Amino acid sequence: MKFDRLWQACKPYLRKGRSIDLIHTRISTDFAWRLLREGAGGDTDIVIPAVMLHDIGYARIDDGDVYMKTTFPDKANAKYDTRVKERHLTEGAKLAEEILRSLDYPQGLIGPIVEIVRTHEDLEGNKPDTTNLNRVIVSDADKLYRYTAYNLTSGMALHHRTKAQIYHFMLDRIDTWLSLEISKRIAIEELRKLPFDFWPVNEALF
Ligand SMILES: [Fe+2]
Ligand SMILES: [Fe+2]
């Protein structure tokens, strides 16, 4: 399958980064394929590699910082630090370039992919501007992971929220986090898939 060599090359790094990176990246890649299939536009040869590589930089950050200073810590007393987030962008861009070159990925595509890895999120968590559709798709695919049961459950534990609180928080953030109308529909779909005990009956889902 196209991109299989790249995915195999990414996996060791995704296993080394945050505990969620392998499943997060796999699920976000699935969302990116869906957005492309459903007519979001964009260039598959840029979007798919950029999603696979977007969080690879966490592999280059010391375990102590990954676990104590990121939004997905495994420790209850972790303290979020934007410098770690910034480093996953810069280190990720360097590593992405190394990996793509080692696989002889077409030269003209490496620059645009690396640029998306370096800028896939900003430190305040704002949406990307709309000038680069490929980056918009990568950003939406990245954030759609937040709407999966896997992340909602870990979010509850991390932020000490109840199911209803985390569910309403996610519903509220759809317009803030996602750019494409298709992505917003998929986010609602994901919320609709949650078991009944997760959410109070809510008309927004129907
Ligand atoms: Fe990221
Ligand atoms: Fe991500």
Side-chain angles (χ1 to χ4, degrees), residues 63-104:
D63 281 359
D65 284 346
V66 165
Y67 288 109
M68 298 308 286
K69 296 176 182 171
T70 74
T71 41
F72 294 99
D74 285 354
K75 305 256 192 323
N77 57 344
K79 198 170 180 310
Y80 179 64
D81 186 336
T82 54
R83 283 172 300 183
V84 174
K85 194 169 196 176
E86 200 169 356
R87 279 195 60 213
H88 99 284
L89 300 172
T90 51
E91 295 295 325
K94 281 189 248 172
L95 195 47
E97 184 160 1
E98 278 173 33
I99 293 169
L100 291 167
R101 285 195 193 286
S102 75
L103 296 176
D104 286 325

Side-chain angles (χ1 to χ4, degrees), residues 64-195:
D65 284 346
V66 165
Y67 288 109
M68 298 308 286
K69 296 176 182 171
T70 74
T71 41
F72 294 99
D74 285 354
K75 305 256 192 323
N77 57 344
K79 198 170 180 310
Y80 179 64
D81 186 336
T82 54
R83 283 172 300 183
V84 174
K85 194 169 196 176
E86 200 169 356
R87 279 195 60 213
H88 99 284
L89 300 172
T90 51
E91 295 295 325
K94 281 189 248 172
L95 195 47
E97 184 160 1
E98 278 173 33
I99 293 169
L100 291 167
R101 285 195 193 286
S102 75
L103 296 176
D104 286 325
Y105 205 73
Q107 200 72 334
L109 299 174
I110 293 179
I113 295 167
V114 169
E115 180 60 13
I116 293 174
V117 174
R118 200 179 60 75
T119 59
H120 71 268
E121 54 184 330
D122 76 9
L123 299 182
E124 280 77 47
N126 297 317
K127 283 193 282 203
D129 63 54
T130 53
T131 53
N132 181 340
L133 178 60
N134 294 318
R135 183 174 55 187
V136 167
I137 296 170
V138 171
S139 173
D140 274 14
D142 182 18
K143 293 184 175 63
L144 275 170
Y145 168 80
R146 297 178 183 175
Y147 288 87
T148 62
Y150 190 92
N151 184 55
L152 288 168
T153 310
S154 63
M156 280 164 49
L158 179 59
H159 301 293
H160 308 290
R161 305 259 177 91
T162 64
K163 285 180 181 177
Q165 283 170 333
I166 202 90
Y167 163 83
H168 282 295
F169 178 72
M170 293 296 163
L171 198 57
D172 277 352
R173 287 297 184 282
I174 288 177
D175 285 327
T176 312
W177 286 340
L178 299 169
S179 300
L180 303 168
E181 288 310 309
I182 317 169
S183 307
K184 294 175 189 178
R185 282 207 308 276
I186 295 173
I188 297 280
E189 269 182 43
E190 291 299 319
L191 291 175
R192 206 154 42 215
K193 288 178 192 168
L194 295 172

Side-chain angles (χ1 to χ4, degrees), residues 18 24 54-55 120-121 142:
R18 299 173 300 176
H24 161 55
H54 82 281
D55 276 341
H120 71 268
E121 54 184 330
D142 182 18

